[in-house]
Amino acid sequence: QTQLEKSVEQLQQEVGSLKRKYRDLSSRKRSNQSPWRVVAEVFSLFESSFKSPWRMATAQDIKTEAETRQILAILERSFTHDAAMGNLVGVDALLEQLQYFSQYFGKPHLNLQRIEAVAPGVMAANSTLSVTVSVLALRYIFPHLMKHRYDDYDSEHQHGSLYQRLLGKRLEFGITMTFLLDTESCRVVRLETKIDLVMGLLRPLGNLIDVSSVLEHAHITSECIVTGGSDFGQH
């Protein structure tokens, strides 16, 4: 490696370090919004993002969408750049999760029911998420149900029956969100989400055995994180 190459590499590292410091400082600036306003705006953002033109776009195209850039700007205004959700970190990761729900489920709708202040810097919200189970949802979130999708119902082909019973169904899940805010910037540093998958599936399926079969290998967690979305925009 020549001296010039080493110098270029060092400069690139320094530029990267400066960019990270700038993002950190920018995200810590006070947002001039109350915690109530931040939570309400986040919910409004989530709901509007479900209506964005992501369904047929590739991951690359999404980054250039004007509406997506606006959504990203609001996320950056409400969240610190290193905000966490479960084991995910960063605004881009949160945006990606919104993309998964928008693409995989039919007509997702988030209905905010209540916001309350739990403690200084801690806000809690209750809501319901309504979605229609599409072929994409079954393929990427419940792929274990795909293998027997053409099978008729019998005790040996329970998964086939579950696929047919879920396809096209409108599901409603209870969701609780806890927003941990930075007291100086009034931006969200951590979002803790819990989704009641069991009750949402129990209504259409009717028994806990079938619910357990659906959730056993599902690519969605109780923290409302889609884990099977690595092929986003590639199908």
Side-chain angles (χ1 to χ4, degrees), residues 26-174:
S26 297
S27 69
R28 299 295 175 180
K29 289 181 180 177
R30 188 159 188 84
S31 66
N32 294 322
Q33 296 189 98
S34 71
W36 298 89
R37 178 66 181 272
V38 169
V39 174
E41 185 174 55
V42 168
F43 267 89
S44 177
L45 170 67
F46 287 171
E47 177 59 23
S48 63
S49 71
F50 290 150
K51 302 172 184 176
S52 67
W54 288 342
R55 185 168 301 279
M56 301 307 294
T58 65
Q60 191 68 26
D61 292 338
I62 284 167
K63 291 293 185 180
T64 62
E65 283 282 354
E67 187 172 347
T68 305
R69 290 200 301 271
Q70 183 179 4
I71 289 172
L72 187 57
I74 296 174
L75 282 174
E76 290 175 342
R77 186 168 71 234
S78 302
F79 290 80
T80 60
H81 84 276
D82 56 352
M85 176 180 171
N87 61 349
L88 304 177
V89 177
V91 171
D92 285 347
L94 181 56
L95 178 63
E96 189 174 54
Q97 287 296 311
L98 292 174
Q99 292 166 4
Y100 292 153
F101 277 93
S102 178
Q103 186 188 48
Y104 294 158
F105 289 105
K107 298 180 180 178
H109 174 68
L110 189 65
N111 180 36
L112 175 61
Q113 297 174 323
R114 186 178 66 176
I115 304 175
E116 61 179 332
V118 178
V122 182
M123 303 292 291
N126 293 333
S127 63
T128 56
L129 174 65
S130 302
V131 297
T132 299
V133 181
S134 67
V135 172
L136 286 178
L138 289 164
R139 180 182 300 166
Y140 289 99
I141 298 180
F142 307 107
H144 56 297
L145 304 183
M146 295 286 292
K147 296 178 182 178
H148 307 290
R149 60 188 180 277
Y150 300 121
D151 295 338
D152 294 327
Y153 174 74
D154 60 49
S155 59
E156 294 181 2
H157 297 129
Q158 184 185 43
H159 283 178
S161 171
L162 293 176
Y163 176 96
Q164 294 161 23
R165 286 159 64 190
L166 284 177
L167 182 60
K169 289 294 189 297
R170 190 72 178 169
L171 306 181
E172 185 174 288
F173 302 102

Side-chain angles (χ1 to χ4, degrees), residues 87-88 97 100 104 140-141 217-221 224-231:
N87 61 349
L88 304 177
Q97 287 296 311
Y100 292 153
Y104 294 158
Y140 289 99
I141 298 180
H217 301 292
H219 291 175
I220 185 171
T221 72
C224 206
I225 294 174
V226 174
T227 59
S230 59
D231 294 326

Side-chain angles (χ1 to χ4, degrees), residues 158 198-199 201-202 205-215:
Q158 184 185 43
V198 173
M199 287 304 298
L201 289 166
L202 186 59
L205 296 179
N207 66 83
L208 290 173
I209 294 177
D210 286 349
V211 171
S212 177
S213 296
V214 170
L215 293 178

Side-chain angles (χ1 to χ4, degrees), residues 171-185:
L171 306 181
E172 185 174 288
F173 302 102
I175 293 183
T176 59
M177 294 185 184
T178 302
F179 297 79
L180 306 181
L181 295 97
D182 179 73
T183 54
E184 292 186 4
S185 68

